[in-house]
Amino acid sequence: MRSPRPTSPPRPARRRGPRRFAALLLGVAATLFPTAVPAGASAPPPVPGTLQAYDIGSVFSAGVSSGGYMATQLHVAYSGTFEGSASFASGPYDCARGLLATALNACMDTTQNLQLATLEQATRDRSAQGQVDPVENLAGDPVYVFSGSGDSTVKRPVADALADYYGRFGARVQYNRSTAAGHAWITPLGPNSCTVTQTPFLNNCGIDAEGALLGHLFGSVAAPGSGTGGSLIRFDQNAYAPGGSATALSMGAEGFAYVPASCAQGASCKLLVALHGCKQGYAYQGFGTRFVENAYLNEYADTNDMIVLYPQAAPTATLENPNGCWNWWGYLGDTAYARHGGKQIEAIMGMVRALRGTGTEPPTGDRTVLSSTDAEDGYVKAAADGSGAAVGTLEDVYGLALGRGTDGKVNRSVVSFDTSRIPAGKEITRAWLTVTRSSGSGDPWASPAGNRLLVDLRTGCFGGCAVEPGDWSAAASVAGAARIDAFSSGSTVSTDLSTGALAALNRGGVTQFRLGFASAPSATAYLFVNQAAPVTLTVEYR
């Protein structure tokens, strides 16, 4: 029996600070990094190219607003890869929990409680289920948080919660809350004054925030250079988008990477993934490379052996994401947006791995983890012979039902996956389901003795893709595709899908699985699964 495993390899051991439950709040004075004011933005003109492999050790993330949320998502989901993060004007990991209303009212405004303890526990649960890397990796990681008192877009208590969130996992948090900055990336090259909130959302507050955040992430930092000593590579983001279309993910066709001469010549370098905010992407209304040129990161890259990767989000033509924000609330139906399998996350991870020389095609590596589609998941109850079937109504309260309930009905559950996200042209070698027990009564595996919980597979949907009564007895494409052995708590994985089931996975759309006991339990004996998180399908390929 396997246990769920993180998809990132363990990173080299490094010294970590003690676990702490409150963030270390450091009011960073404006004079902490005194420098002469730079003359103005400068960067070499972009040149077409591809992401080549370099000698990269440590990897970090940084972002502003939606980019700050994405920087945190990358750090938490792939903490085996990312060793620290910096965020301007954003809040805690998966604050929105897949709901736009929560994003607006709890994670930007404060009219709704963002429920920090719930966010912490959800992160720990995802770690236990293998949906994000082990949370133990976060202990001792450097985290930089910035919030200005003039920011009415993402209000101060939301950023406070980000600092507190990381502190609960033992991260070393440096929190600059000393200025009256508006909603912006803070940079000496910013054309805006400190307190405003307006395009291009690049504000000059008379401080060197980049020197501060990089000094905290790296431990020390050399003075900045000109920002023109390297190459600015313009590359095709479609090459890293799951499914091959960046547009389908609300990402731009073009991304950028600044590569200093030292890194190009073979020096051991660090990698910073820098994420713009809403209305700052290259493809947003002619915004172009203003963030790339004015973020004041290329200047430090030249003198600190640091490659800067600038992935690009892009606006949708619909109302899903008209401002070209990064996905931090689950738009375009991506329910995995904040964890392994999230489409934008996997695209960026593909870029990171390409730069590190450990893979170039998306989703990266040889495995993808798909989350079931909540709107199409559910359970059906019927008599033991299948008569009187009806859709169950307690999913939101208890989860997906299996076995014989107190009403004497026998329950079967159906879960749905978008298996078109498995990379085209890859040979699937192995796949399995992961389920998490929520509650139950009795032992349906022992009623009758030797009962088996079987997994049937349907290429496409058993009926309509939304659960319906006929799903209880509808024909499967592959019956008994896998088995789930008895477990009394936590998460477990099925046996590997059979060879026939692997071949039956729908590479062009939806695949559904039906979970049910081979024999109707002779007495009340049931369990509920996955009340708080989706079932996952892990697929390995080559």
Side-chain angles (χ1 to χ4, degrees):
M1 179 68 70
R2 292 182 304 275
S3 298
R5 304 184 295 272
T7 60
S8 290
R11 63 192 185 198
R14 59 186 193 278
R15 296 185 63 184
R16 298 190 176 276
R19 177 180 177 83
R20 58 191 73 181
F21 290 91
L24 178 60
L25 305 181
L26 299 179
V28 182
T31 57
L32 183 60
F33 279 84
T35 61
V37 177
S42 60
V47 294
T50 59
L51 297 182
Q52 303 296 317
Y54 301 93
D55 183 2
I56 292 175
S58 301
V59 181
F60 303 89
S61 62
V64 56
S65 191
S66 70
Y69 275 109
M70 178 57 77
T72 299
Q73 289 172 184
L74 286 166
H75 183 205
V76 174
Y78 283 101
S79 59
T81 297
F82 288 86
E83 298 188 19
S85 186
S87 294
F88 293 85
S90 68
Y93 171 78
D94 201 17
C95 181
R97 286 169 282 173
L99 298 170
L100 178 58
T102 301
L104 295 172
N105 297 321
C107 310
M108 296 173 68
D109 206 342
T110 55
T111 58
Q112 180 180 333
N113 188 334
L114 57 75
Q115 300 178 348
L116 186 59
T118 300
L119 298 178
E120 176 195 357
Q121 188 58 51
T123 306
R124 296 187 185 279
D125 291 344
R126 286 183 179 178
S127 175
Q129 296 160 15
Q131 295 180 353
V132 302
D133 284 1
V135 293
E136 292 78 11
N137 289 339
L138 299 174
D141 274 3
V143 172
Y144 179 89
V145 178
F146 185 100
S147 175
S149 62
D151 188 347
S152 59
T153 304
V154 175
K155 294 184 176 178
R156 173 64 61 76
V158 178
D160 292 347
L162 172 61
D164 191 356
Y165 171 88
Y166 268 119
R168 292 172 182 230
F169 294 97
R172 295 184 293 109
V173 181
Q174 183 180 108
Y175 186 5
N176 186 334
R177 57 202 311 270
S178 66
T179 74
H183 188 71
W185 176 276
I186 309 305
T187 164
L189 301 179
N192 289 349
S193 61
C194 184
T195 59
V196 304
T197 297
Q198 64 185 38
T199 191
F201 306 101
L202 297 162
N203 289 12
N204 187 342
C205 291
I207 63 172
D208 181 0
E210 289 65 43
L213 75 86
L214 293 173
H216 185 57
L217 295 182
F218 299 166
S220 63
V221 65
S226 67
T228 60
S231 300
L232 183 62
I233 307 298
R234 183 176 67 243
F235 64 92
D236 181 7
Q237 292 195 141
N238 292 297
Y240 305 97
S245 171
T247 300
L249 316 186
S250 196
M251 291 179 66
E254 298 172 303
F256 299 88
Y258 183 80
V259 181
S262 60
C263 300
Q265 294 165 6
S268 179
C269 290
K270 298 171 281 289
L271 172 63
L272 180 71
V273 179
L275 297 143
H276 63 75
C278 304
K279 301 182 179 181
Q280 287 185 315
Y282 179 77
Y284 181 79
Q285 298 184 3
F287 193 87
T289 56
R290 279 187 280 179
F291 181 80
V292 173
E293 295 172 355
N294 290 280
Y296 205 47
L297 295 171
N298 305 333
E299 289 78 3
Y300 278 98
D302 277 345
T303 54
N304 288 275
D305 296 331
M306 176 181 75
I307 294 172
V308 188
L309 173 65
Y310 295 99
Q312 297 294 304
T316 59
T318 66
L319 294 179
E320 288 271 3
N321 184 34
N323 293 326
C325 305
W326 289 102
N327 195 352
W328 63 278
W329 67 88
Y331 60 64
L332 294 176
D334 188 0
T335 57
Y337 65 92
R339 56 181 182 265
H340 297 163
K343 292 180 181 180
Q344 289 183 353
I345 282 180
E346 295 303 333
I348 295 170
M349 286 301 296
M351 300 172 196
V352 170
R353 290 190 174 106
L355 288 166
R356 300 184 85 182
T358 56
T360 59
E361 294 184 1
T364 57
D366 59 357
R367 175 190 298 182
T368 188
V369 180
L370 306 177
S371 296
S372 63
T373 304
D374 182 66
E376 298 174 0
D377 295 349
Y379 70 95
V380 183
K381 57 183 182 177
D385 63 0
S387 62
V391 175
T393 59
L394 300 177
E395 178 190 355
D396 289 342
V397 179
Y398 296 109
L400 302 170
L402 298 163
R404 183 187 290 272
T406 56
D407 60 359
K409 301 294 185 180
V410 178
N411 299 281
R412 294 178 175 178
S413 290
V414 176
V415 290
S416 182
F417 296 90
D418 178 6
T419 42
S420 68
R421 292 172 54 198
I422 302 169
K426 297 293 186 179
E427 177 189 0
I428 299 174
T429 58
R430 191 181 187 190
W432 63 90
L433 295 174
T434 302
V435 298
T436 302
R437 186 172 180 130
S438 302
S439 61
S441 178
D443 183 0
W445 283 273
S447 178
N451 206 358
R452 295 174 299 152
L453 178 54
L454 299 179
V455 179
D456 298 335
L457 180 150
R458 177 75 182 193
T459 306
C461 301
F462 283 100
C465 288
V467 174
E468 56 190 47
D471 293 347
W472 198 94
S473 56
S477 301
V478 180
R483 183 187 73 252
I484 297 174
D485 293 328
F487 71 114
S488 58
S489 64
S491 299
T492 192
V493 296
S494 71
T495 58
D496 289 348
L497 298 188
S498 66
T499 301
L502 295 181
L505 291 170
N506 184 7
R507 306 293 288 271
V510 173
T511 301
Q512 287 193 326
F513 294 87
R514 181 176 59 210
L515 285 61
F517 283 92
S519 300
S522 53
T524 299
Y526 63 87
L527 71 155
F528 286 100
V529 299
N530 293 85
Q531 186 275 331
V535 178
T536 61
L537 171 65
T538 303
V539 181
E540 293 184 348
Y541 48 83
R542 62 189 177 197

